[in-house]
Amino acid sequence: YMGVEHSIQMLDKTQVKFILVVAGIYTFFGAYGYFKERITQAKYGGMGFSFPNTLVFAECISNIITALITARLSGQSHRSSTPQKSFMLLGTSYVFAMIASTQALKCVSFPVQTLAKSCKAVPIMLFDFFLGREHYPLVKWLAVASIVGGVCVFSLGAEETQSRDSQWFGLGLVFVSLCCDGVTGSTQTKLKNTYKPSSFEYMLFMNLYACVCLTGMLFVSGEAFTFPELLAHPQAILDIVAYAVCASLGQIFIFIGLTSYGPVRLALITTTRKFFTLLISFVLFSHPITPLVVVGVSMVFVGIYLENTCDSHHQTGDAKADKKVN
């Protein structure tokens, strides 16, 4: 009886933790998406969205502060055995991915950009295909085709204010962002297998080097000189701070979910989170829902489901193979 009662208590704790992780990811990334769209659409004293580098810089600073506080509370050391040049590469690819993604919002709406960012596997699979490094099953190609096709259908159905040329340029920027994400992901995998850095190390050093890159870009783009104009609008500062804090807190729940439940289950959570973010965008910012929009969204999420299922089977097969070898 005591054993059964203990199992029930443990089950309850596990379920509560899972609910808290899901709620944290949904809440903070939902708010993150809201503030991002609000900032890129707002006219602060007639000043339109002309500070993408500043927005990314604020997010990186918030991530650094969050990483340092987390390390302090958990007693982790600030030193790392991972070569700093590896973190430098990570920070560079990471920051260019964020800048390209944020710049894309000048050309496409937030829902289009959010869906297009779901095509993370596209550049990786294309590079592997042309370099002959890895062969993918047909289901994986069908999943990617469904995602890409869904984004195109959604873009056609969404009533965009920008011209078609501008929209294609925006989608091109999203593709650049995805390519940079691919570099970041592959570098993280190599580091994980070789040096095994902690999530704190990733969050701190990636964002430190990202800030170094951004400091130069703020001056090159001229945003460093126009920033005082932005300071004249307190609402803009509040929105940017809220945006950055939500991003950092969301990352904490992502790391907890990754270490507690693994990448496959986390992928399911983050996929449904994107649907929740889109729903918030459509409701709060009054985007029209046309039949093509519904078809496009459905195709994207079917593709994501197929991709996650394929990855899940692949990881299960690898685990069984490892057990047989051992």
Side-chain angles (χ1 to χ4, degrees):
Y1 173 76
M2 291 296 292
V4 173
E5 185 179 14
H6 177 71
S7 298
I8 292 173
Q9 289 176 349
M10 289 299 293
L11 182 63
D12 289 341
K13 289 180 181 178
T14 304
Q15 288 177 335
V16 169
K17 182 180 179 181
F18 180 73
I19 291 169
L20 288 175
V21 168
V22 173
I25 291 173
Y26 272 50
T27 301
F28 290 114
F29 278 109
Y32 166 81
Y34 165 76
F35 282 111
K36 190 170 190 176
E37 187 165 9
R38 175 185 166 90
I39 290 167
T40 55
Q41 286 193 5
K43 301 287 185 183
Y44 301 106
M47 184 181 178
F49 179 55
S50 56
F51 44 91
N53 296 322
T54 305
L55 195 61
V56 176
F57 187 78
E59 183 176 344
C60 290
I61 291 294
S62 179
N63 285 339
I64 291 171
I65 294 171
T66 303
L68 290 172
I69 293 173
T70 304
R72 180 84 177 188
L73 293 175
S74 60
Q76 294 186 57
S77 172
H78 293 179
R79 295 182 179 180
S80 174
S81 60
T82 306
Q84 289 301 302
K85 63 180 181 181
S86 299
F87 283 126
M88 193 181 299
L89 174 61
L90 273 177
T92 304
S93 59
Y94 168 69
V95 76
F96 277 106
M98 289 200 295
I99 288 173
S101 178
T102 306
Q103 286 279 11
L105 288 170
K106 291 183 177 181
C107 307
V108 295
S109 66
F110 179 78
V112 171
Q113 185 245 38
T114 301
L115 275 185
K117 285 286 284 182
S118 302
C119 306
K120 289 184 181 293
V122 175
I124 298 172
M125 290 176 66
L126 288 177
F127 290 151
D128 287 342
F129 176 77
F130 287 115
L131 295 175
R133 292 189 302 188
E134 188 171 349
H135 296 285
Y136 294 95
L138 179 61
V139 176
K140 186 86 170 180
W141 287 107
L142 290 174
V144 168
S146 180
I147 294 171
V148 173
V151 171
C152 293
V153 171
F154 183 92
S155 300
L156 291 171
E159 295 182 7
E160 301 283 306
T161 56
Q162 297 85 354
S163 66
R164 283 295 174 195
D165 288 342
S166 179
Q167 289 178 49
W168 282 113
F169 181 71
L171 291 174
L173 286 173
V174 174
F175 182 76
V176 170
S177 175
L178 291 172
C179 290
C180 292
D181 282 337
V183 173
T184 303
S186 62
T187 307
Q188 284 178 327
T189 301
K190 289 179 182 177
L191 290 183
K192 181 181 178 183
N193 295 334
T194 308
Y195 300 101
K196 296 178 173 58
S198 65
S199 56
F200 154 75
E201 291 176 65
Y202 279 129
M203 197 169 188
L204 176 63
F205 292 108
M206 276 176 60
N207 285 281
L208 274 175
Y209 286 111
C211 281
V212 172
C213 292
L214 281 165
T215 301
M217 296 179 73
L218 285 171
F219 283 95
V220 171
S221 65
E223 288 184 41
F225 306 106
T226 58
F227 188 65
E229 297 177 25
L230 193 63
L231 289 175
H233 306 287
Q235 187 60 53
I237 302 302
L238 288 173
D239 287 346
I240 291 173
V241 170
Y243 159 85
V245 170
C246 287
S248 299
L249 294 176
Q251 284 297 324
I252 291 175
F253 282 96
I254 287 287
F255 285 132
I256 294 172
L258 184 62
T259 54
S260 301
Y261 306 109
V264 175
R265 202 168 183 184
L266 179 64
L268 181 61
I269 297 171
T270 54
T271 299
T272 53
R273 188 273 303 172
K274 284 184 180 179
F275 183 81
F276 180 68
T277 302
L278 282 175
L279 186 63
I280 291 175
S281 177
F282 274 99
V283 171
L284 296 183
F285 294 93
S286 303
H287 295 292
I289 302 176
T290 64
L292 282 179
V293 164
V294 175
V295 172
V297 170
S298 301
M299 287 175 67
V300 169
F301 281 98
V302 166
I304 293 173
Y305 173 77
L306 288 174
E307 185 185 357
N308 288 340
T309 302
C310 184
D311 291 342
S312 177
H313 286 321
H314 181 68
Q315 290 182 12
T316 304
D318 288 346
K320 288 181 179 178
D322 290 340
K323 286 181 180 180
K324 287 181 180 179
V325 171
N326 295 330

